[in-house]
Amino acid sequence: MSENVPANTDLLYRLHDRPTPIKAFLGAIQHVLAAFVGIITPSLIIGGTLGLGEHIPYLLSMSLIVSGVATFIQTRKVGPIGSGLMALQGTSFGFLAAVLTAGFVVKNRGGGPEEILSVIFGVSFLGAFVEIFLSQFITKLKSFMSPIVTGCVIVTIGLSLTKVGLTDLAGGFGAEDFGSIPNLPLGGGVLASVVLISIINNKVIRSSAIFIGLMLGLIAAVFMGRIDFSLVSEAAFFTVPIPFKYGFGFDWQAFIPIAFMYIITSIETQAI
């Protein structure tokens, strides 16, 4: 523990402290594992719901690559872009309904998977400029955001993610064995182990609760025969990002809900 941290605090390190390489590595691995599911799950849900089939592996790869690039820019602060803080950039479950709406707009008029992705990426690209525009003055609204307002926003975000967590615990979106007996003890066991490890007196072990819980869950899943690496072996070792791979489509019906979600997430970020 850093010498600068008082003995009566639960903090292991302050903002500018530097842990040893091995502790930094373990902390980074835990952070990535905790965020991994949240980053790829929206792509899985969107791909499965819209019937994107063979394009799903590419979407998963791009979700991870973009998350890594955006996190690097956010933490390293490239020029005026970025906060300079350890803020992992991922995907927002709040966009699921809007993106699915955009996809069904195209699908209902007979569009195929590539046209669906073309419109989704096109309206998302243009919608990002809504957030860029809001970023120029939204900080001035902070004076109107009392602790009660920001607290309510944060609680609402947490409650909205509860459904996602419980769904994953029961087997995941669209699982054929959703809520089955093997799924619930496995997910519940991981949750229980994380909670129990979090109350251990040793601060280093306690800070690794998520990592240890996930590893215990993985080992248990292997012994239960619930791990299948066949699809992993068939996937490409590396996927090269291709800008505008599916073209650049646009539809006003698809754009409006996406733009609205950019406004909501801008306010949400400012509140946090």
Side-chain angles (χ1 to χ4, degrees):
M1 186 173 69
S2 171
E3 296 180 357
N4 297 326
V5 180
N8 61 346
T9 181
D10 286 332
L11 290 176
L12 288 175
Y13 304 100
R14 291 186 179 278
L15 179 61
H16 298 293
D17 290 345
R18 289 185 177 275
T20 60
I22 184 63
K23 290 182 179 179
F25 176 76
L26 290 175
I29 292 296
Q30 175 177 248
H31 206 74
V32 170
L33 289 175
F36 191 83
V37 174
I39 293 173
I40 68 172
T41 299
S43 296
L44 288 172
I45 297 172
I46 292 169
T49 304
L50 296 176
L52 301 182
E54 63 183 30
H55 302 288
I56 294 178
Y58 181 80
L59 297 178
L60 297 179
S61 297
M62 293 308 101
S63 295
L64 293 169
I65 290 175
V66 172
S67 175
V69 173
T71 300
F72 179 84
I73 295 174
Q74 182 75 276
T75 55
R76 303 304 297 180
K77 195 172 183 180
V78 180
I81 303 175
S83 64
L85 301 176
M86 183 58 229
L88 183 66
Q89 303 299 287
T91 48
S92 172
F93 284 88
F95 278 89
L96 274 179
V99 171
L100 289 174
T101 299
F104 280 118
V105 166
V106 180
K107 190 172 184 177
N108 290 339
R109 70 184 184 206
E114 293 195 5
E115 186 179 353
I116 291 173
L117 290 171
S118 172
V119 172
I120 288 176
F121 287 134
V123 296
S124 297
F125 177 86
L126 294 175
F129 288 95
V130 174
E131 192 152 3
I132 293 173
F133 171 74
L134 290 175
S135 68
Q136 302 304 306
F137 61 84
I138 197 171
T139 53
K140 297 178 181 178
L141 300 177
K142 195 168 185 178
S143 58
F144 297 100
M145 297 181 184
S146 66
I148 294 179
V149 174
T150 56
C152 289
V153 171
I154 294 172
V155 169
T156 302
I157 295 170
L159 291 175
S160 67
L161 294 176
T162 301
K163 178 181 178 181
V164 177
L166 292 176
T167 302
D168 286 339
L169 185 145
F173 287 90
E176 295 181 358
D177 58 348
F178 184 83
S180 64
I181 294 300
N183 289 338
L184 296 178
L186 179 60
V190 173
L191 176 61
S193 64
V194 172
V195 173
L196 292 175
I197 295 171
S198 297
I199 61 177
I200 293 177
N201 289 331
N202 188 300
K203 292 183 178 180
V204 176
I205 295 178
R206 191 167 67 218
S207 67
S208 303
I210 295 177
F211 175 76
I212 297 173
L214 288 173
M215 290 301 99
L216 291 175
L218 177 62
I219 294 172
V222 170
F223 280 106
M224 293 171 66
R226 302 186 65 79
I227 300 295
D228 182 9
F229 292 103
S230 60
L231 294 178
V232 177
S233 62
E234 297 173 2
F237 181 75
F238 183 78
T239 302
V240 179
I242 303 175
F244 304 111
K245 177 180 179 179
Y246 302 105
F248 193 95
F250 182 81
D251 186 287
W252 278 108
Q253 283 184 280
F255 177 73
I256 292 174
I258 294 289
F260 181 74
M261 279 309 306
Y262 273 112
I263 296 173
I264 296 298
T265 53
S266 297
I267 299 173
E268 173 184 288
T269 303
Q270 185 60 34
I272 294 175

